[in-house]
Amino acid sequence: MSNLVPVKLSPAFKDYLWGGERLRDDFHKVCSLERIAESWELSAHKDGQSTVAEGEYKGMTLSEYIQAVGASVLGKNSQKYDYFPLLIKLIDAKGNLSVQVHPDDAYALEHEGEYGKTEMWYILDCDEGASLYYGFAEDISKDAYATAIREGTLTDLLNRVEVKPGDVYFIPAGTVHAIGEGILICEIQQNSNTTYRVYDYNRRDKDGNTRPLHIDKALEVSTLTKSPALPDIDDGDDVLLCSCGYFEVRRLRFRESGVISADGDSFLSLTVTAGEGILSHAEGAVSFSKGDTLFVPAESGACRIEGECEMIQAKVN
Ligand code: ZN
């Protein structure tokens, strides 16, 4: 028995009203829900844990697996967190997500009893002309923000951006944002499920109910300055997409073969976004294909990848 063996994970699924069919059709997700809005690929959150998909720990939740093999698989960067620090999702926005904002750690720990949420989006695919809201278009006063929420004109003040595959959006806590319809995203975020919904397009669910808004809290935590310019992302085989106080994210492409390496600092989360292959390590091998997520324990050392594939690699900073 070893605690250095990479494991494949099965996600928890969410069928929020804006979800679609692409995670099933294009990412091979097996799930009985009619629509799949999100798959929580790497999750130890109480609202939906991923589970070990195969091997000797099969069926355990990610938390149970970590308990069974020991917290050393997380690496030393995770020691500064009180609980598992990351949450990684695939998101299929067939419809618009609500306009929302997440609190930072200080606010969330005081008011919600969990971490705040800084997140990053990698655009996997999108419809022609798809767009999202990323912060405000200009600096704004709190009064003008509150008025726009009240009058239903908030989206006029937001920074609307057309997206294309490969784009990266870094969303620090406090950034007002909304994923737009027709966008497929890999999201890397802090392990938190706290969202303050500001505007929901006056939508009603099948029972005729609107979803709750959290306007007072949103006004307290929102950043009111113009959103920053977006980074240019290189087209290389190993590209740093984002590094912040919480996580580092890279896009890795393999033509035939290559190596990934997990040192003692952090485990690696590998979400396969195209192609297929085999990851071999000291004690065996794991096959993978588009849509799979692998957890590679810290201190696993070098693992060989065979196959033509692309993956999003995330680790704890
Ligand atoms: Zn968000």
Side-chain angles (χ1 to χ4, degrees):
M1 193 181 293
S2 166
N3 62 0
L4 299 181
V5 174
V7 293
K8 191 187 291 187
L9 299 174
S10 292
F13 293 104
K14 301 291 174 186
D15 66 347
Y16 306 135
L17 59 93
W18 43 262
E21 297 80 36
R22 295 197 60 189
L23 294 181
R24 179 182 290 113
D25 295 345
D26 298 348
F27 282 76
H28 314 132
K29 298 298 178 188
V30 177
C31 160
S32 59
L33 298 172
E34 188 182 321
R35 58 172 176 253
I36 311 176
E38 298 183 345
S39 62
W40 291 18
E41 297 290 317
L42 177 88
S43 170
H45 197 282
K46 62 179 173 21
D47 295 342
Q49 289 221 30
S50 40
T51 54
V52 178
E54 55 188 41
E56 68 180 289
Y57 304 106
K58 181 177 177 176
M60 286 186 182
T61 63
L62 182 56
S63 299
E64 289 167 346
Y65 157 78
I66 291 164
Q67 199 143 46
V69 296
S72 64
V73 293
L74 301 181
K76 59 177 184 288
N77 291 351
S78 288
Q79 289 173 5
K80 60 179 174 285
Y81 298 101
D82 290 335
Y83 55 91
F84 190 79
L86 294 189
L87 177 53
I88 298 179
K89 305 173 176 177
L90 297 175
I91 299 176
D92 174 20
K94 185 174 185 178
N96 292 317
L97 276 74
S98 59
V99 180
Q100 55 189 251
V101 62
H102 310 296
D104 64 13
D105 288 341
Y107 189 95
L109 288 167
E110 184 183 337
H111 292 87
E112 313 294 345
E114 68 170 352
Y115 289 132
K117 199 200 283 194
T118 283
E119 63 192 36
M120 188 214 102
W121 303 334
Y122 179 76
I123 309 293
L124 292 168
D125 199 10
C126 60
D127 293 346
E128 187 82 35
S131 67
L132 51 76
Y133 292 113
Y134 173 59
F136 287 103
E138 301 293 339
D139 294 355
I140 185 177
S141 70
K142 194 178 263 196
D143 274 354
Y145 180 28
T147 302
I149 295 171
R150 202 170 54 238
E151 295 181 347
T153 57
L154 178 61
T155 54
D156 295 345
L157 302 176
L158 297 177
N159 178 29
R160 180 172 172 273
V161 191
E162 271 199 27
V163 302
K164 60 182 189 310
D167 282 350
V168 170
Y169 290 83
F170 178 60
I171 321 279
T175 307
V176 179
H177 60 275
I179 299 173
E181 62 183 7
I183 303 178
L184 203 64
I185 280 177
C186 180
E187 181 179 82
I188 291 82
Q189 55 164 93
Q190 288 181 266
N191 184 8
S192 168
N193 199 24
T194 297
T195 294
Y196 300 145
R197 198 178 289 124
V198 190
Y199 178 62
D200 200 26
Y201 304 95
N202 304 312
R203 284 184 291 200
R204 290 174 188 278
D205 65 16
K206 61 182 187 313
D207 302 318
N209 300 313
T210 56
R211 299 192 292 179
L213 301 177
H214 317 91
I215 290 167
D216 291 344
K217 286 180 172 175
L219 284 170
E220 285 183 355
V221 306
S222 295
T223 300
L224 301 177
T225 48
K226 177 181 173 171
S227 54
L230 294 164
D232 280 329
I233 302 301
D234 296 341
D235 197 34
D237 287 348
D238 179 356
V239 177
L240 177 67
L241 301 180
C242 173
S243 183
C244 68
Y246 301 103
F247 45 74
E248 181 203 277
V249 183
R250 311 187 79 89
R251 184 188 62 209
L252 307 178
R253 286 179 178 149
F254 299 95
R255 311 280 168 180
E256 283 180 358
S257 64
V259 172
I260 54 131
S261 192
D263 59 20
D265 289 342
S266 176
F267 66 87
L268 304 179
S269 170
L270 305 174
T271 297
V272 183
T273 53
E276 58 187 10
I278 295 173
L279 179 152
S280 26
H281 50 88
E283 300 186 34
V286 190
S287 65
F288 59 80
S289 60
K290 179 179 176 179
D292 285 337
T293 291
L294 306 177
F295 175 92
V296 182
E299 294 177 346
S300 290
C303 300
R304 189 165 175 78
I305 305 277
E306 312 261 7
E308 186 174 353
C309 56
E310 179 188 275
M311 50 182 76
I312 300 297
Q313 173 187 287
K315 60 195 248 189
V316 179
N317 256 347

